[in-house]
Amino acid sequence: MSIMQRNELLQRLLADADLVTEALSARFSLVNSQGEGICPPVLKEAQDYSLMAGGKRIRPALVIEVCKMLGGDVKDALPLACAIEMIHTYSLIHDDLPCMDNDDLRRGKPTSHKAFGEATAILAGDGLLTDAFLLAASNPRAEVVQRAVRVLSQAAGSMGMVGGQVMDLEGETRRLSLDELLQLHAQKTGALICAAVQLGAIAAGEAEDSPAWKALTTYANRIGLAFQVVDDVLDVTADAALLGKSKGKDKAVNKTTFLTYYTVEEAQAYADRLTDEAVSAVASIDHEGYLQALAEYLAKRIY
């Protein structure tokens, strides 16, 4: 099975990102056709500041591309793709707060609380999280809504991303074991990536006991962990201007990372092994080679 060429992959990522950005800009009209309620301008400005700040929109792209791969319609995937990007953006806003990771830079810009103040940043994140479920619930097919909301809730909540963030904060005050670190990142980073491929499958009507669902879940688990391993490496090796956020933050707060247990070379080799496992998991269903190319691209990214 051939893997998609890098240039074609990047073109597809860009096209999907443009599609999602356009839909996100119209998100209120998509769910508020009756004209009920108004989002205060300062709140929308703060949300859009982070939501429209760029990025490759990997998670929504996974929703769209998995849906297409399984024979689904992009229009069914798009609200779910937007919802997961809104949840991801909320998590970044909150992660950057002084009481969390206390970052001043995100995607090359001042973080939300630096630009709008802590209270507005918190509320912008709260709004994005809640509005994401409103958008996901806009699908007219009740079964899709029920499955999608369950997947999103589990990935974003106490047993997913929020729980992972709590463990991440604990890793600043004590050395986490390697097993704890793996669990942390399965929840904080991996859960939302896994949700993305599952949402794409849900939009396409794929059953949860199908071989494709199981293969995609394995794929997502592997690339989610590999993504975080590479992230830890980049925190040490990448230039801050290219990284788009502060460099060396983990070491500065003595946070437990994969570099607590591995050298840079060992960590990258671990990410490469996870990537190989991801590629193998979907080789039989990913006929275009998109998912395989994406896995390799994420493992080799420099920023």
Side-chain angles (χ1 to χ4, degrees), residues 178-194:
L178 183 56
D179 284 345
E180 287 176 315
L181 188 66
L182 290 169
Q183 183 62 42
L184 184 169
H185 291 304
Q187 293 183 212
K188 182 178 178 181
T189 304
L192 213 58
I193 290 175
C194 191

Side-chain angles (χ1 to χ4, degrees), residues 73-113:
D73 194 322
V74 171
K75 68 178 176 59
D76 293 324
L78 195 53
L80 302 181
C82 290
I84 205 162
E85 184 69 358
M86 291 163 69
I87 291 174
H88 175 57
T89 301
Y90 125 78
S91 75
L92 299 181
I93 293 173
H94 281 199
D95 281 358
D96 290 336
L97 290 168
C99 62
M100 297 285 187
D101 288 346
N102 193 23
D103 267 313
D104 296 338
L105 196 65
R106 171 71 66 176
R107 289 174 175 166
K109 297 167 50 177
T111 47
S112 181
H113 66 275

